Amino acid sequence: MAERYIVVGGGLAGLMTVIKLAEAGKHVDIFSIVPVKRSHSVCAQGGINGAVNTKGEGDSPDIHVKDTLKGGDFLAEQPPVKGMCYAAPGIIYLLDRMGVPFNRTHEGLLDFRRFGGTLHNRTAFAGASTGQQLLYALDEQVRRYETEGLVRKFEYWEYLGFVKDEQGACRGIVALNLRTMEIESFAADAVCLATGGPGIIFGRSTNSTINTGTAAARAYIDGAIYSNAEFVQVHPTAIPGEDKHRLMSESARGEGGRIWVPKQKGDMRAHKDIPATERWYFLEERYPHYGNLVPRDVATREIFSVVRDMGLGVEGTDAVYLDVSHIPAATLEKKLGGIMDIYEKFVGVDPKHNPMKIFPAVHYSMGGLWVDYEADARGDLVKSSPRQQSTNIPGLYAAGECDYAYHGANRLGANSLLSCLYSGQITGPAMVNYAKNNMAAKGDAPARTLASAKTYWSDRFNTIYKMSGTENPYVIGQQMGELMVKTSTVVKRNAELDSAMVQIQQMKERWSQCNVLDTGRTLNQSASYVNQLWNMLELAHVMLKTGRMRDESRGSHYKPDFVLPKAKTKNPSDDPEFMTAWRARDEKWRKVSMARWSTEPQITFEPLKSLQVENPILKPEPRHYD
Amino acid sequence: MTERMLTVRIQRQDGPSDAPRWEEFSVPWRQNANVISVLMQIQRDPRTSDGKPTTPPAWDAACLEEVCGSCTMNINGQVRQACTALVDKLAQPLMLAPMKKFPLIRDLTVDRSRMFEALKRVKAWIPIDGTYDLGPGPRQAPEDQELNYALSTCMSCGCCLEVCPQIGATTAFIGAAAISQARLFNNHPTGSMNADERLRGLMGPGGVADCGKAGLCVQACPKGIPLTSSIAEMNRDTTKQALKDWLFRDESKGGAGPGG
Ligand SMILES: Cc1cc2nc3c(=O)[nH]c(=O)nc-3n(C[C@H](O)[C@H](O)[C@H](O)COP(=O)(O)OP(=O)(O)OC[C@H]3O[C@@H](n4cnc5c(N)ncnc54)[C@H](O)[C@@H]3O)c2cc1C
């Protein structure tokens, strides 16, 4: 049989992987729940990072590496981060050549703006719908390969699980046709999961409804290691909604937006009646250097403390002002038009003239499927090594938000589109080399392996169709979301995490009492959801358990009962007492959590490989932004 | 206190060959509700107004912020995205029905693959040499970028096809969305190099000439894309291209051209 590759997921990471494979002349099958053009990547608003340094600021890939590693509190393996930041300018140029309508300077060059966690204008953008524009560019290139016969699309097909041979290697996938409910197995020499993040585990988040994380969760159940599950980013600025929380991109602050609350508790005056002297711009005051552009974990905790601890939320509610009304309307239209429209459409107030009311919301998962890398002594990734982006299952790869690799304990804004594209770029060649090295010996996937995987899933769905209990799966899903938001987001406490794990266990028991609600065989969305719900409960359990075990505060993972004492010097490194405490914490906790499936998740914490070498790319240091 | 309720009527259909029927639901009113959150409420309690259990209606959704195009349907007789349809701004009872111009899958979901096929026909992409590092793309004036950005926000939602009188079960018209995409790529410095191929894609049966100039597409477009001016421009350009192709018809066959 001819070489064949499978990519699951048609967001930025998946499409880039497909392009790399097709460009090498390989045949690829791509699977996606939705037409790939409707993937979640369209949601990305603000932009994509790359140290192109067009503003005479002396920016460079090395500074980008440093900002990224520090932003993630040195929990990311360093060589992949270095590879990504060095590749970034080339990736932006590639997108430019593909026709992405990036904003331009008067000279006709690419324009760049500020984002969080850096002092440089490093973010290329296409209005405020950059993700949509990037995704379309890749979608177009993939369509071109489709017309050339190299790519076959399986849209409205849901990945259920991978096919494992007797040696434990991945030999293909089993998928469900969501329209006909037919289940089929597909053979491949290598498979890449590029299935995005798990925001829906938290019920309402800034994510698309399809971001259930269920593919990655199922891969974990089937033996892939899931890492750093406890690190979930809560974005500081979103509009709370009934169906989802809509993001107001960090680019609003990148373009000069300011966060404030009335100084006076319980001040019920309209915003325009509150004079400047009676407004508290708390981020600017507390972080004079980075101001409103401190990293997201920091901004979110500050907003929480101002609203929840000090009771200073706007009009006594869970809200602070995000104000861009001082910026000329024409500039807002050109640079932030997309999000200005979103606010106006959903809230009914024009943000060009009124401050927006926003609050933090679950946004992004730093954690994901564990993936390997191979680097040389200088910390440069070995080109095309089959180990790049490989999970612990031979032949199974992961790229994009569903991998754990690039952002450590906190992701910097505009680094995700980049990590998706970069990981896709290196996954394609890695898969090809894996196949070259292994498939000759292996030969075609044994028919009975494929058949038995298919039978497993057909049986599971036949069981689901018969579920006629009293529990509504969507209600369990909603309760799971509320529980996770309450116990496992901005502020975590061990007692609450313990109780949450008990409740997740109860939800798992209730799951078996579910009613499938629909026994039809045409687009039976609830049958698919019942299966996904189980996977989400399993992953929620891992998030809670790794979070419970990690007794420290780092990046997005914050436990008030385990925080370092405040340094007495401006630069924490100058305070010996602080440094002793910091070193002790790091000794114990600068480790990646690794979850292996069993009825009770098996968790270990393992030191970073890239810090075991003599000369790491960057020596970790205490993280501070004031 | 009795809870404030909202009445929703949904056109149901179990599959393409089944008969359509209307079902009425009564759901508790919520502040800031949109059609999506109402559909989610029904999923959690799938019973009709008279208390009879039913299946949760099927619908498409993804981003819920009007950039993916998924949740397009007819709401109170008007085609639009369900996510931006705020309940308090709509007349009640709410009437939800699937798009009519696309093959029905089930309930509120239809098959819009013809929109993606149309993008193939007009070669809606920039034929780049490869993904290796070849430096930056061509410089562009901010004004060109602004037009292209506007054209490029098309999310293949299908509103323009749904309202187009030229689109029907038996007609082949390609529709405004793909025509406007041809304009987008022809307006790009690199894309313009193979503008002729896109224009030829717009000729012949179902091509741009089939537009009846009703102008409803531009009104229905949720993104405010200048669809009618795209159609006018592509109409002019295909005419010119057809003329050029005719003048050089012999050359392209390898024979002697005019004067040769
Ligand atoms: C509102 C918002 C704004 C953002 N803005 C920015 C920004 O400005 N800059 C930035 O860098 N990042 C931003 N991000 C983050 C970024 O958008 C995402 O991390 C990124 O797009 C993820 O891309 P991906 O390719 O990994 O996955 P996705 O784009 O989520 O794609 C996942 C794909 O997998 C498919 N899939 C999933 N499960 C299955 C299954 N079981 N079977 C088959 N297919 C499946 C889906 O159909 C889809 O095609 C933003 C995120 C949000 C929510």
Side-chain angles (χ1 to χ4, degrees):
Chain A
M1 202 182 92
E3 275 174 83
R4 194 156 268 296
Y5 297 85
I6 286 177
V7 174
V8 184
L12 285 177
L15 294 182
M16 185 55 107
T17 308
V18 169
I19 289 172
K20 280 295 183 185
L21 288 164
E23 190 172 56
K26 308 298 178 192
H27 288 269
V28 196
D29 291 342
I30 177 166
F31 290 76
S32 172
I33 299 180
V34 293
V36 298
K37 194 179 175 180
R38 309 200 195 283
S39 293
H40 167 65
S41 288
V42 291
C43 280
Q45 302 172 343
I48 174 169
N49 286 336
V52 178
N53 189 34
T54 57
K55 306 262 178 192
E57 300 169 320
D59 196 12
S60 72
D62 281 326
I63 307 178
H64 189 185
V65 172
K66 180 164 184 188
D67 287 341
T68 303
L69 290 174
K70 178 180 158 193
D73 208 344
F74 297 93
L75 196 63
E77 292 284 11
Q78 300 193 348
V81 172
K82 182 180 174 191
M84 170 178 87
C85 297
Y86 272 79
I91 287 175
I92 290 175
Y93 287 152
L94 169 62
L95 296 164
D96 182 22
R97 285 175 40 232
M98 286 177 178
V100 172
F102 283 121
N103 280 54
R104 302 273 161 176
T105 66
H106 289 298
E107 208 178 314
L109 299 171
L110 298 179
D111 199 3
F112 287 82
R113 66 177 159 213
R114 288 269 319 269
F115 246 73
T118 179
L119 296 170
H120 296 91
N121 282 282
R122 187 185 288 150
T123 308
F125 59 102
S129 64
T130 312
Q132 179 192 41
Q133 296 305 314
L134 265 49
L135 186 80
Y136 289 2
L138 268 67
D139 173 61
E140 289 147 11
Q141 297 299 322
V142 168
R143 188 165 295 106
R144 185 180 163 206
Y145 283 121
E146 204 186 348
T147 59
E148 289 170 17
L150 284 166
V151 174
R152 282 197 302 188
K153 279 188 185 149
F154 292 80
E155 294 173 325
Y156 296 105
W157 279 79
E158 178 173 352
Y159 165 91
L160 297 176
F162 63 85
V163 177
K164 209 192 276 192
D165 69 13
E166 270 143 26
Q167 288 74 44
C170 167
R171 305 300 297 273
I173 68 165
V174 180
L176 167 72
N177 181 332
L178 291 167
R179 287 175 165 175
T180 61
M181 304 313 279
E182 146 207 17
I183 289 172
E184 202 45 76
S185 56
F186 298 85
D189 293 3
V191 172
C192 173
L193 294 182
T195 46
I200 296 304
I201 289 183
F202 294 82
R204 288 174 293 172
S205 73
T206 63
N207 286 191
S208 300
T209 53
I210 50 177
N211 289 21
T212 55
T214 167
R218 183 65 213 196
Y220 151 76
I221 296 171
D222 292 336
I225 295 171
Y226 199 94
S227 279
N228 288 350
E230 64 274 37
F231 293 99
V232 170
Q233 179 167 77
V234 178
H235 196 291
T237 59
I239 325 168
E242 266 294 305
D243 53 339
K244 83 173 285 193
H245 302 317
R246 293 179 177 84
L247 185 75
M248 279 297 114
S249 166
E250 196 167 281
S251 55
R253 284 169 287 141
E255 296 293 349
R258 305 176 74 188
I259 296 218
W260 63 277
V261 288
K263 278 186 180 163
Q264 183 79 36
K265 194 170 173 168
D267 192 335
M268 297 303 281
R269 286 178 294 175
H271 58 85
K272 56 181 185 308
D273 300 328
I274 303 176
T277 51
E278 292 171 44
R279 300 174 174 193
W280 186 26
Y281 295 94
F282 52 94
L283 290 174
E284 296 170 32
E285 184 181 304
R286 289 180 175 172
Y287 304 91
H289 223 49
Y290 284 78
N292 290 292
L293 288 172
V294 284
R296 293 174 178 174
D297 56 328
V298 179
T300 292
R301 274 194 293 279
E302 292 292 353
I303 293 174
F304 250 63
S305 94
V306 164
V307 172
R308 294 275 167 89
D309 304 340
M310 304 173 73
L312 285 173
V314 171
E315 290 156 9
T317 64
D318 265 358
V320 301
Y321 284 130
L322 166 60
D323 200 346
V324 295
S325 60
H326 55 286
I327 303 170
T331 310
L332 293 173
E333 211 38 76
K334 275 190 189 141
K335 296 188 160 177
L336 298 172
I339 59 170
M340 297 290 99
D341 284 353
I342 291 180
Y343 195 84
E344 193 159 0
K345 276 192 179 161
F346 288 95
V347 184
V349 173
D350 179 3
K352 296 196 283 299
H353 302 290
N354 303 277
M356 297 175 266
K357 287 187 195 168
I358 54 89
F359 200 65
V362 169
H363 183 59
Y364 180 86
S365 170
M366 276 70 73
L369 291 168
W370 178 87
V371 290
D372 201 1
Y373 69 88
E374 185 180 351
D376 63 18
R378 290 207 317 275
D380 291 322
L381 293 189
V382 176
K383 218 171 160 248
S384 309
S385 159
R387 281 170 57 196
Q388 315 301 6
Q389 301 289 136
S390 169
T391 68
N392 58 307
I393 308 288
L396 182 66
Y397 289 76
E401 190 171 337
C402 78
D403 79 33
Y404 92 113
Y406 294 88
H407 309 290
N410 168 65
R411 168 173 76 82
L412 293 189
N415 257 357
S416 173
L417 298 180
L418 177 62
S419 64
C420 288
L421 292 168
Y422 179 67
S423 58
Q425 276 197 339
I426 64 174
T427 303
M431 291 166 78
V432 170
N433 278 331
Y434 169 83
K436 197 158 90 195
N437 299 345
N438 295 281
M439 294 324 286
K442 284 191 190 298
D444 286 352
R448 79 193 128 73
T449 309
L450 290 164
S452 78
K454 177 177 163 177
T455 306
Y456 169 86
W457 281 105
S458 302
D459 290 350
R460 184 167 171 85
F461 268 81
N462 284 332
T463 311
I464 288 174
Y465 290 128
K466 291 197 196 95
M467 291 174 84
S468 56
T470 50
E471 295 280 358
N472 178 307
Y474 296 103
V475 171
I476 299 180
Q478 187 183 36
Q479 291 167 348
M480 167 183 68
E482 282 162 8
L483 176 71
M484 292 301 286
V485 167
K486 204 164 122 242
T487 60
S488 191
T489 49
V490 184
V491 178
K492 302 183 194 176
R493 295 177 199 278
N494 281 344
E496 287 182 9
L497 293 168
D498 280 333
S499 122
M501 277 190 279
V502 173
Q503 292 178 61
I504 286 287
Q505 196 51 48
Q506 288 163 352
M507 288 180 194
K508 280 187 180 170
E509 283 152 25
R510 284 167 56 200
W511 181 88
S512 49
Q513 301 308 313
C514 270
N515 190 310
V516 66
L517 306 174
D518 184 353
T519 54
R521 296 295 191 274
T522 304
L523 191 65
N524 184 335
Q525 294 176 328
S526 44
S528 150
Y529 184 77
V530 169
N531 175 55
Q532 294 181 355
L533 178 63
W534 178 263
N535 298 340
M536 287 194 270
L537 288 165
E538 290 272 15
L539 189 53
H541 194 171
V542 175
M543 291 171 170
L544 293 169
K545 187 161 182 186
T546 52
R548 170 65 181 83
M549 291 171 80
R550 187 181 283 278
D551 277 338
E552 67 155 350
S553 294
R554 182 185 299 273
S556 69
H557 176 79
Y558 174 72
K559 283 185 174 174
D561 297 336
F562 301 88
V563 284
L564 287 170
K566 236 187 144 34
K568 290 186 212 55
T569 50
K570 187 163 160 38
N571 183 346
S573 308
D574 298 336
D575 177 351
E577 215 176 300
F578 172 84
M579 286 310 286
T580 310
W582 181 79
R583 276 192 208 97
R585 174 197 75 150
D586 260 40
E587 180 77 20
K588 187 150 182 218
W589 290 118
R590 183 170 307 106
K591 292 187 178 155
V592 175
S593 70
M594 314 270 276
R596 294 173 176 83
W597 186 85
S598 174
T599 33
E600 177 62 31
Q602 303 298 301
I603 316 284
T604 56
F605 286 83
E606 289 169 29
L608 295 176
K609 202 162 69 166
S610 58
L611 291 177
Q612 309 303 307
V613 299
E614 208 169 312
N615 287 312
I617 293 168
L618 202 64
K619 275 226 161 58
E621 59 182 37
R623 181 173 179 245
H624 72 107
Y625 290 94
D626 29 17
Chain B
M1 204 180 84
T2 54
E3 206 173 4
R4 183 168 157 195
M5 301 300 274
L6 184 78
T7 306
V8 191
R9 296 207 183 111
I10 302 180
Q11 187 181 325
R12 307 285 312 261
Q13 191 171 337
D14 294 339
S17 47
D18 295 290
R21 63 178 191 280
W22 285 87
E23 270 181 4
E24 189 183 282
F25 297 86
S26 188
V27 299
W29 176 89
R30 294 257 189 288
Q31 190 152 22
N32 297 327
N34 57 4
V35 167
I36 297 288
S37 70
V38 169
L39 287 166
M40 287 173 165
Q41 281 175 291
I42 295 174
Q43 274 182 332
R44 293 193 287 266
D45 185 13
R47 279 178 303 142
T48 53
S49 301
D50 48 11
K52 285 208 192 81
T54 181
T55 51
W59 84 92
D60 275 331
C63 80
L64 306 191
E65 43 197 64
E66 214 186 65
V67 281
C68 78
S70 298
C71 63
T72 313
M73 58 182 74
N74 282 301
I75 299 172
N76 291 354
Q78 199 195 342
V79 66
R80 58 183 299 182
Q81 279 71 52
C83 62
T84 34
L86 305 185
V87 167
D88 286 348
K89 293 198 175 151
L90 293 166
Q92 281 152 33
L94 283 179
M95 307 281 278
L96 310 183
M99 285 195 275
K100 309 181 287 291
K101 300 283 179 77
F102 299 90
L104 183 112
I105 304 289
R106 179 180 176 179
D107 297 337
L108 300 169
T109 66
V110 295
D111 180 358
R112 283 173 279 179
S113 45
R114 64 168 288 173
M115 300 208 62
F116 302 118
E117 290 305 315
L119 295 176
K120 292 181 188 163
R121 174 169 168 181
V122 298
K123 297 191 189 331
W125 53 76
I126 304 284
I128 59 166
D129 285 350
T131 62
Y132 20 89
D133 205 344
L134 295 175
R139 287 196 186 195
Q140 278 174 60
E143 294 70 38
D144 289 330
Q145 178 269 334
E146 279 162 35
L147 172 62
N148 280 3
Y149 177 71
L151 298 175
S152 190
T153 55
C154 171
M155 51 189 182
S156 304
C157 67
C159 287
C160 57
L161 273 68
E162 178 76 359
V163 298
C164 176
Q166 298 304 106
I167 306 265
T170 55
T171 57
F173 182 44
I174 188 167
I179 297 172
S180 190
Q181 289 293 297
R183 178 191 188 193
L184 163 65
F185 291 97
N186 285 3
N187 195 42
H188 183 274
T190 317
S192 68
M193 295 178 198
N194 59 330
D196 55 335
E197 293 175 26
R198 288 190 202 91
L199 293 173
R200 283 187 208 109
L202 288 177
M203 295 175 192
V208 63
D210 286 10
C211 166
K213 300 197 175 62
L216 300 177
C217 51
V218 73
Q219 291 163 31
C221 177
K223 297 286 118 176
I225 299 171
L227 293 171
T228 40
S229 72
S230 292
I231 294 173
E233 195 170 314
M234 290 302 98
N235 227 333
R236 269 197 311 275
D237 291 356
T238 42
T239 311
K240 279 190 226 153
Q241 186 65 44
L243 194 65
K244 240 199 239 163
D245 287 350
W246 183 78
L247 285 172
F248 295 101
R249 67 197 183 282
D250 294 331
E251 253 178 24
S252 66
K253 286 192 200 117

